[in-house]
Amino acid sequence: MTEQQFQQLIESSVRSQYRFRGHWEEFDSDESMTVNHQKIHSVLSELESRLNDNFPFFHPRYAGQMLKPPHPVAVAAYLMAMQINPNNHALDGGPATAHMEMEVVQQFASMFGYQEHLGHLTSSGTIANLEALWVARSIHPAKAIACSPDAHYTHRRMCEVLQVPSIVVDVTDIKALEAEFRKGTIGTLVVTIGTTGTGSVEPLNQILPLANRYGVRIHADCAYGGFFMLLAGVEQPIIQPKPFLSLKDCDSIVIDPHKHGLQPYGCGCILFRDPGVGTVYKHDSPYTYFTSNKLHLGEISLECSRAGAAAAALWATLQCIPLSSTDGFGGILTKTREAALLWDTDISQLHGWKRYVKPDLDIVTYFNVPNTFSASSVSHQSQQVFDLAMNNGAHPLFLATMNVDSSTILQQYPDFIADTPRTKIIRSVLMKPEHKFTAHKFIQELDRIAHSA
Ligand SMILES: *Cc1c(COP(=O)(O)O)cnc(C)c1O
């Protein structure tokens, strides 16, 4: 999209606001609201200069954390709705955007294969997960919540908030998992489909039958990986489809549209397979509802106020970029996945570089091996490459580092000297489709940088 086209979208969002206001009689805005126009300009100009203190999240050269700007459609739609400022807590707070929320949540539920569902948007993945665990606690009040060591760190924190005991289990060791289930202490297991660190997909298809046998509830945290569902149902999938195809049988699912869904921050989503969990939310709020007898979004949500604009932005985005395997989001995710495959192949073939884990989605983890293949020298080299890449003149590359257990490297590379318990490696999130066309060039740049370190 050209700058001019984007400006037209923004202008039409602003104009729509004046048309909306034009439906009601005019009034003079109170003088207490007036700000000197010069003052606004100078403050915004200071804001612009302060915002330069950011990394170029929009650029393919940014391949660090899970960050990228929203799509222009989402920006224009958010702006259009935000000027009205509907609150999706209740139908009275924003009927239009509440209906949009129900539509997009239905689209996610269908994408995952839920026949029926109860769900809504949230302000983040953390809050969506909290809600899933809160419902889980109500269903298994005396039992623990388990997750793998690679689960998002907030799960254990939220268990503290909920005062539920949390257990860390290795979900990839099915035998050990069964032994844990047999003890009868675990009520709910969190399975992560796309871990935040390495993008690894946990073996949900193997875990589910076991969980069913022992009456354990399964919550799938797909905050990052959820959109890859679109690549699972195709004829020749470029991801492992089985864990994704099992999502339809999980008790609850979280997906974060503000991660891979091209949305501004403030957009997570929780889905429950059994609408009957609605009874857990029972509350009595005397002042928020009066226009409808239907279940309000606020009645099935932990949070109260939420931006209706977030629902509008997501709704408009999904109209333009559909949840389809072949085009729309499927097309984007195919390219980010291919970028990771290219990156991983290049790393495997290049002398002096090694992969940490095989990428399941579009996050790659790897390291450069200096003269000594030890934890301490790999850590030092990772930091060097990270710093030099970021400060590489006109061609900076923004990566991320990650600390992993040295023992996991030793398992794959027997000649590794685990002289420190943890090793710093390099991590790249290739969540922009443009990464497919820049992966090869970037690896070559990184190799030159590593040689100069
Ligand atoms: C990002 C992430 C979260 C937390 O979501 P926020 O939207 O940042 O609160 C939870 N789980 C996983 C797997 C994530 O990647």
Side-chain angles (χ1 to χ4, degrees):
M1 186 179 296
T2 64
E3 184 179 340
Q4 200 189 3
Q5 285 172 325
F6 183 53
Q7 260 172 16
Q8 281 167 0
L9 289 187
I10 297 304
E11 272 167 30
S12 82
S13 291
V14 173
R15 272 200 303 273
S16 78
Q17 173 60 12
Y18 286 94
R19 280 197 292 271
F20 177 76
R21 291 186 175 208
H23 297 153
W24 287 273
E25 71 180 299
E26 266 191 68
F27 66 97
D28 293 327
S29 150
D30 188 76
E31 60 174 358
S32 59
M33 298 287 283
T34 309
V35 180
N36 177 291
H37 215 63
Q38 206 78 47
K39 175 73 181 171
I40 301 177
H41 275 291
S42 83
V43 168
L44 290 185
S45 140
E46 186 186 342
L47 173 63
E48 179 176 346
S49 97
R50 290 184 68 159
L51 285 174
N52 283 325
D53 185 16
N54 264 304
F55 297 103
F57 307 122
F58 73 97
H59 203 281
R61 286 194 171 272
Y62 183 85
Q65 308 291 349
M66 294 168 172
L67 276 162
K68 61 177 179 180
H71 194 277
V73 171
V75 176
Y78 196 100
L79 177 63
M80 192 182 281
M82 178 260 275
Q83 294 171 98
I84 297 170
N85 209 21
N87 184 338
N88 272 21
H89 164 249
L91 277 176
D92 310 323
T97 47
H99 287 114
M100 287 175 210
E101 175 163 335
M102 291 174 201
E103 285 174 46
V104 295
V105 168
Q106 172 66 57
Q107 289 183 54
F108 283 135
S110 305
M111 175 177 82
F112 289 119
Y114 273 4
Q115 298 291 333
E116 39 176 15
H117 72 277
L118 187 81
H120 58 88
L121 299 180
T122 62
S123 55
S124 72
T126 304
I127 296 296
N129 279 321
L130 171 63
E131 197 156 319
L133 301 189
W134 175 64
V135 166
R137 186 192 64 175
S138 305
I139 290 169
H140 291 301
K143 295 196 173 181
I145 293 174
C147 64
S148 88
D150 301 321
H152 199 263
Y153 71 95
T154 50
H155 287 290
R156 273 156 277 168
R157 182 182 283 178
M158 290 308 151
C159 285
E160 277 186 29
V161 172
L162 293 168
Q163 301 201 312
V164 183
S166 65
I167 301 177
V168 175
V169 291
D170 178 0
V171 297
T172 60
D173 185 343
I174 299 298
K175 277 227 167 71
L177 191 63
E178 176 155 24
E180 279 295 335
F181 282 175
R182 207 177 289 129
K183 291 183 198 161
T185 47
I186 297 175
T188 302
L189 177 67
V190 175
V191 179
T192 309
I193 301 299
T195 60
T196 317
T198 60
S200 299
V201 175
E202 297 180 341
L204 179 61
N205 47 310
Q206 293 171 41
I207 296 168
L208 256 176
L210 207 63
N212 286 341
R213 200 170 322 138
Y214 290 92
V216 171
R217 212 178 144 78
I218 297 287
H219 169 59
D221 182 359
C222 312
Y224 185 71
F227 283 85
F228 284 94
M229 180 72 203
L230 296 171
L231 305 191
V234 301
E235 217 154 87
Q236 286 181 317
I238 52 172
I239 56 165
Q240 288 295 331
K242 282 184 182 163
F244 286 91
L245 299 175
S246 300
L247 282 168
K248 64 178 183 358
D249 299 315
C250 291
D251 296 290
S252 49
I253 301 175
V254 159
I255 179 171
D256 253 2
H258 69 201
K259 276 194 179 139
H260 240 309
L262 298 168
Q263 297 308 297
Y265 283 118
C267 195
C269 178
I270 172 72
L271 295 164
F272 293 97
R273 189 181 47 159
D274 173 13
V277 301
T279 54
V280 174
Y281 293 85
K282 266 221 169 83
H283 77 312
D284 179 24
S285 162
Y287 42 81
T288 39
Y289 322 114
F290 55 89
T291 56
S292 164
N293 297 321
K294 275 194 300 191
L295 208 59
H296 292 259
L297 289 166
E299 287 175 291
I300 50 154
S301 169
L302 267 188
E303 294 174 271
C304 183
S305 298
R306 271 189 305 105
L314 182 56
W315 177 85
T317 305
L318 295 183
Q319 292 293 310
C320 297
I321 305 173
L323 293 174
S324 143
S325 306
T326 44
D327 55 341
F329 273 101
I332 295 170
L333 278 270
T334 298
K335 287 189 174 139
T336 67
R337 170 64 180 149
E338 285 170 349
L341 291 170
L342 287 171
W343 196 286
D344 183 60
T345 307
D346 273 1
I347 285 287
S348 317
Q349 289 171 355
L350 210 58
H351 180 74
W353 292 88
K354 289 187 194 302
R355 85 147 64 109
Y356 172 60
V357 292
K358 200 162 167 249
D360 283 342
L361 302 177
D362 59 9
I363 299 173
V364 283
T365 48
Y366 53 100
F367 50 89
N368 183 256
V369 182
N371 292 332
T372 359
F373 188 21
S374 67
S376 54
S377 44
V378 167
S379 296
H380 181 75
Q381 181 74 349
S382 296
Q383 188 63 45
Q384 286 276 95
V385 171
F386 171 82
D387 289 334
L388 289 171
M390 188 163 54
N391 295 299
N392 193 30
H395 305 289
L397 268 174
F398 299 92
L399 311 169
T401 60
M402 175 182 174
N403 292 315
V404 301
D405 284 338
S406 298
S407 59
T408 56
I409 301 181
L410 188 60
Q411 277 164 20
Q412 299 179 68
Y413 303 104
D415 52 336
F416 180 67
I417 305 159
D419 59 350
T420 53
R422 307 273 283 168
T423 305
K424 184 176 283 185
I425 61 163
I426 307 175
R427 166 173 170 266
S428 294
V429 179
L430 306 176
M431 68 187 310
K432 287 177 273 244
E434 293 83 5
H435 281 138
K436 180 182 169 183
F437 309 103
T438 49
H440 190 62
K441 181 172 81 173
F442 288 173
I443 300 279
Q444 288 176 329
E445 287 179 16
L446 278 183
D447 195 40
R448 280 197 292 277
I449 287 166
H451 278 292
S452 72

